[in-house]
Amino acid sequence: MIYKESDNRSMWIAPCRIPDKRYWTVEDWKALDLENDGDWKTAVEIFEDRIQYRYLDAIKELQRSDDEFYKQHHQRRFGFSMMALDCLIIETLAQFYEGFKDSEEAKHQPISLNNSQFYTRFLTQKSFILKDYFNQTAATIFYQQIRCGILHQAETRENSTIWYRDQDHPGKPFELLEDGKSLRIFWFNFHNLVKDEFDAYCTCLRTKQIPDYRANFIKKMDAICRVRS
């Protein structure tokens, strides 16, 4: 959130697709009647704009710049940064699916989960798209060596690496290395999976595919807007 005490305005929760409006605010969220289909559509748009403008558009710009640089210098630069943003998107989606204020909240549920268990369960069970690619081994390695490595050490751990893509298998998002203990991530394909996951979730919210996901979405948005502690 970006907010100045002197501005006398409600906190901004996302840039807004409506040009004259510029930002969605906490007051916009609180004003919605979520029993109304039109207001529910707006609620999903707020979420879409939050993820699109904070993360996906940033990744798109990094990718565009990376492609231009590669044409001139045959060198890739921004895959690491894009993977860091994708890890943030995954964590955000996992919290929305469960209706959690933050990942720590998983520890205080009837089935207590630590951060690793919460993250890997999302990759292997709760997600729409990613679960088709992750088994428990790959999910655990991804959490420990990619997600935690990037976010806590600003580098991948062990022998895990980030590549552009596999020339022999253009659609492959990652592969388990021969040692069985590390991953090679192909960030171009992996990011496409993350975008597909985001799109699938938005479709779910619009169509009521999983009713609990709507209730959990409201819980998470209420936490973001400080409607609940």
Side-chain angles (χ1 to χ4, degrees), residues 130 133-135 138-139 142 171-176 183-186 189-190 193:
L130 294 168
Y133 295 84
F134 279 96
N135 59 26
F142 183 89
K172 182 164 49 175
F174 62 82
E175 64 183 3
L176 185 67
L183 293 177
R184 180 176 292 132
I185 304 291
F186 302 108
N189 298 326
F190 189 87
L193 289 186

Side-chain angles (χ1 to χ4, degrees), residues 107-133:
K107 296 179 181 178
H108 307 294
Q109 303 305 307
I111 301 177
S112 178
L113 301 174
N114 62 34
N115 286 357
S116 175
Q117 291 167 331
F118 172 67
Y119 201 94
T120 58
R121 187 178 71 162
F122 175 79
L123 292 176
T124 59
Q125 300 178 40
K126 294 290 186 176
S127 53
F128 293 97
I129 306 297
L130 294 168
K131 67 182 180 183
D132 292 335
Y133 295 84

Side-chain angles (χ1 to χ4, degrees), residues 78-176:
F78 296 145
F80 189 92
S81 298
M82 285 184 270
M83 275 304 307
L85 290 170
D86 275 331
C87 287
L88 290 176
I89 294 172
I90 291 171
E91 190 110 9
T92 298
L93 291 176
Q95 292 169 12
F96 266 97
Y97 288 21
E98 301 282 0
F100 292 167
K101 175 184 176 182
D102 53 39
S103 299
E104 291 290 312
E105 195 169 331
K107 296 179 181 178
H108 307 294
Q109 303 305 307
I111 301 177
S112 178
L113 301 174
N114 62 34
N115 286 357
S116 175
Q117 291 167 331
F118 172 67
Y119 201 94
T120 58
R121 187 178 71 162
F122 175 79
L123 292 176
T124 59
Q125 300 178 40
K126 294 290 186 176
S127 53
F128 293 97
I129 306 297
L130 294 168
K131 67 182 180 183
D132 292 335
Y133 295 84
F134 279 96
N135 59 26
Q136 189 61 42
T137 297
T140 300
I141 294 171
F142 183 89
Y143 174 79
Q144 294 174 345
Q145 300 183 22
I146 305 297
R147 182 266 189 197
C148 291
I150 289 175
L151 299 184
H152 297 311
Q153 295 176 209
E155 62 180 353
T156 57
R157 293 174 175 170
E158 305 299 333
N159 293 320
S160 288
T161 54
I162 298 170
W163 293 40
Y164 176 61
R165 69 168 73 182
D166 183 341
Q167 297 300 326
D168 296 326
H169 303 90
K172 182 164 49 175
F174 62 82
E175 64 183 3
L176 185 67

Side-chain angles (χ1 to χ4, degrees), residues 6-56:
S6 60
D7 284 346
N8 192 30
R9 66 162 73 94
S10 179
M11 287 190 296
W12 297 339
I13 55 176
C16 180
R17 66 184 67 189
I18 305 170
D20 293 338
K21 184 172 177 57
R22 296 180 60 230
Y23 292 96
W24 296 110
T25 70
V26 168
E27 294 306 314
D28 290 323
W29 172 255
K30 291 165 66 176
L32 295 176
D33 173 8
L34 296 176
E35 298 298 322
N36 177 282
D37 288 342
D39 280 10
W40 183 258
K41 178 176 178 289
T42 300
V44 179
E45 288 175 356
I46 291 173
F47 169 74
E48 285 181 314
D49 287 357
R50 184 176 174 88
I51 302 302
Q52 188 70 50
Y53 297 144
R54 282 188 167 190
Y55 302 110
L56 294 177

